[in-house]
Amino acid sequence: MRLRHIQIGLWVMAGLAALAYGAFILRPQMNTQTHETTFRSEFFLADGAGQLRTTDEFAGKFQLVFFGFTNCPDVCPTTLSEVAQVMDDLGDAAAKVQPIFISIDPERDRRLGIDTFAHAFHPAILGLTGDAEATRAAAESFKTFFEREDATDATDGYTMSHSAALYLIGPKGDWLRQFDYGTPADAILSDLKSRF
């Protein structure tokens, strides 16, 4: 009798384990699908002339979006150089793409000239800034990170730590993918052309 109870107990435990495993396997797949269909990045930021620009304005175009700052010593210039090369190599198809540089150091970057910085790489790159709240909201929307760090050897005594990804947003405003830092222009170009 005791053996029978043990067997029943083991079968119950096995059944519960199977149910738990099934829930574990199915749940991430459902979450992934939901995540992909609901993940929309957005911004409400000003251009160099002070005009408010929003995500909706670029409906119908692909967006290449990068978060950085004008005093960035290497990551930002390297990435924006790759974006500039992509825009040149797209030729007439460049009209289908809007490259955007969003400042994570808006107060200083407005003073230094966000347009001058962005256009030094390519005239199509749109530089955007906002107040602290709008900047943080845009970064959170893109799931990107930035943080001010004290640095005695840097201009004004600080620098900015930030994610180095380049984000690709689709014509309907949907997040398509991110390109890791160091992704060459030809790889970005190839991906874009495959979507036209």
Side-chain angles (χ1 to χ4, degrees):
M1 187 72 168
R2 184 181 173 103
L3 181 60
R4 178 80 174 144
H5 285 304
I6 292 173
Q7 287 176 330
I8 291 171
L10 288 174
W11 279 111
V12 169
M13 286 173 42
L16 290 173
L19 284 173
Y21 179 75
F24 176 78
I25 292 299
L26 293 175
R27 187 174 176 185
Q29 291 174 349
M30 293 188 310
N31 285 347
T32 300
Q33 291 169 354
T34 303
H35 180 74
E36 288 175 354
T37 57
T38 61
F39 180 28
R40 293 177 61 84
S41 302
E42 60 183 8
F43 54 79
F44 301 89
L45 301 165
D47 60 21
Q51 180 182 348
L52 183 65
R53 313 298 288 267
T54 71
T55 320
D56 293 342
E57 178 183 343
F58 303 104
K61 286 189 173 187
F62 289 91
Q63 299 168 54
L64 284 172
V65 182
F66 183 72
F67 288 77
F69 64 113
T70 61
N71 277 324
C72 182
D74 44 27
V75 173
C76 302
T78 299
T79 301
L80 291 177
S81 294
E82 297 293 350
V83 170
Q85 188 63 57
V86 168
M87 296 306 291
D88 284 342
D89 292 346
L90 279 170
D92 292 340
K96 299 178 181 179
V97 180
Q98 176 60 61
I100 298 171
F101 174 71
I102 296 178
S103 170
I104 55 167
D105 187 15
E107 184 177 344
R108 183 165 60 176
D109 287 350
R110 277 194 300 269
R111 188 176 75 241
L112 294 174
I114 190 73
D115 280 345
T116 302
F117 179 78
H119 293 167
F121 293 93
H122 197 281
I125 300 176
L126 176 63
L128 298 177
T129 62
D131 60 20
E133 184 179 352
T135 302
R136 180 65 62 186
E140 289 176 355
S141 163
F142 278 82
K143 314 292 187 214
T144 196
F145 160 85
F146 73 90
E147 185 175 70
R148 177 173 165 154
E149 292 183 351
D150 292 334
T152 55
D153 58 340
T155 304
D156 299 323
Y158 74 93
T159 187
M160 301 297 293
S161 175
H162 64 97
S163 302
L166 175 67
Y167 302 96
L168 177 61
I169 307 301
K172 296 181 180 178
D174 47 327
W175 185 94
L176 298 178
R177 66 165 294 176
Q178 68 183 44
F179 299 99
D180 294 334
Y181 173 64
T183 302
D186 58 352
I188 300 170
L189 180 68
S190 176
D191 184 283
L192 273 170
K193 285 185 170 181
S194 73
R195 300 175 188 272
F196 293 163

